[in-house]
Amino acid sequence: MLQSMKLPDGLWPVMLTPFTKTNEVDLDGLERLTEFYIEAGSNGLFANCLSSEMYQLTEEERLLVTSQVVKKSGERVPVVATGTFSRSVAENVAFIKKIHDTGVQAVILITSMLAEPDESEEVLRGRLEQILEQTGQIPLGVYECPVPYKRLLSPALMQWMAQTGRFLYHKDTSCHSGALERKAQAIGGTDFNLYNADTTTALDSLDAGANGISPISANYYPEPYRYLLDQYQQYGRSEEVTRLHAMLTMMDRVTHTYYPYAAKVFLQRRGLKIETSTRIPCETMPQVDRLRFQALMDSFQALAAQHGFPLVLQPVHYTDTTASL
């Protein structure tokens, strides 16, 4: 297990969970997926998250998935995973300890699981204090997960969290450049890292001091995001970085539909050996959306050719546009 330390900057994919055709957790597929993320240049992995269909997993499966990712990652990249699935502080504390025992670098708290929509931020802080008191020195993080509802944190609360020395990871879903800047300033110079979930505001957040990005589109194609971060670090907002970011922003509008099913189909078409099974009900994709996803694949390949970044997996070519993509 990696020792407790400040998490690395960069790209943090929110991991999918592969299932077999009978909807059991596919451990072999999970190993292949984990290796894919790492080979594509990920700096860390967020397992057992919303993209992982965490609410559709049993407690035993959440622990199994997380431990498998930690084992496969070894000491190459750190792993974080969700530890709160209840309104009860006691139940959350018990599971936080279990998920920490898998070897994760930090256990993530879902902001909207800790307080009801009509409860104040003071109530939320009180519950965070209880968790801190009852979990020893376990490193923690927070995720403004949109399910069960999106609960955004204030810069003031984040500053307090940073000052506790226990929080290492924040996945931000505000999708607002001004809010991201204020949060980044509030925790600047501490071990509390901010990772932006939103592609559109990615460059603005990096300009403001965010530590990295964690968009769901990185589950389709992590390579251009890795390239974007590398180029930004070297050259700032160069013309190339700006053009690439603009394309990723437009492509991002497609990736959010039929998710996470579409991401699994896309990865399968890229040559990753996983099934497209999900536990989240998904409507049959009409032809117009299949064509949009084919255009997404074409755009991704065009970006790779234009910018010259290597692909971990080469897309498989299909000519039948009525086939499922």
Side-chain angles (χ1 to χ4, degrees), residues 57 61 76 85 128 166 223 306 319:
L57 299 176
E61 288 172 331
R76 293 179 293 172
F85 292 92
L128 289 171
R166 292 279 301 281
E223 298 98 330
Q306 178 183 355
T319 56

Side-chain angles (χ1 to χ4, degrees), residues 143-210:
Y143 172 20
E144 295 171 335
C145 182
V147 180
Y149 72 97
K150 184 183 287 193
R151 181 158 194 136
L152 303 179
L153 302 178
S154 72
L157 182 60
M158 289 187 60
Q159 185 176 54
W160 169 81
M161 294 166 73
Q163 290 169 351
T164 69
R166 292 279 301 281
F167 289 91
L168 303 181
Y169 182 101
H170 169 67
K171 180 174 168 65
D172 193 277
T173 65
S174 64
C175 305
H176 188 281
S177 299
L180 284 157
E181 182 177 8
R182 290 187 290 273
K183 290 177 179 180
Q185 289 176 348
I187 62 177
T190 73
D191 287 346
F192 194 13
N193 285 4
L194 188 154
Y195 303 94
N196 184 8
D198 180 45
T199 294
T200 304
T201 56
L203 292 185
D204 286 348
S205 65
L206 293 172
D207 286 344

Side-chain angles (χ1 to χ4, degrees), residues 184-251:
Q185 289 176 348
I187 62 177
T190 73
D191 287 346
F192 194 13
N193 285 4
L194 188 154
Y195 303 94
N196 184 8
D198 180 45
T199 294
T200 304
T201 56
L203 292 185
D204 286 348
S205 65
L206 293 172
D207 286 344
N211 300 91
I213 54 177
S214 184
I216 69 167
S217 293
N219 283 327
Y220 292 76
Y221 35 75
E223 298 98 330
Y225 284 99
R226 174 72 268 165
Y227 183 79
L228 179 76
L229 287 166
D230 289 343
Q231 293 298 301
Y232 176 86
Q233 186 177 21
Q234 282 191 272
Y235 307 111
R237 284 207 189 207
S238 66
E239 183 177 342
E240 180 182 15
V241 166
T242 301
R243 285 201 309 268
L244 176 57
H245 177 250
M247 281 299 300
L248 290 174
T249 296
M250 289 188 288
M251 292 162 63

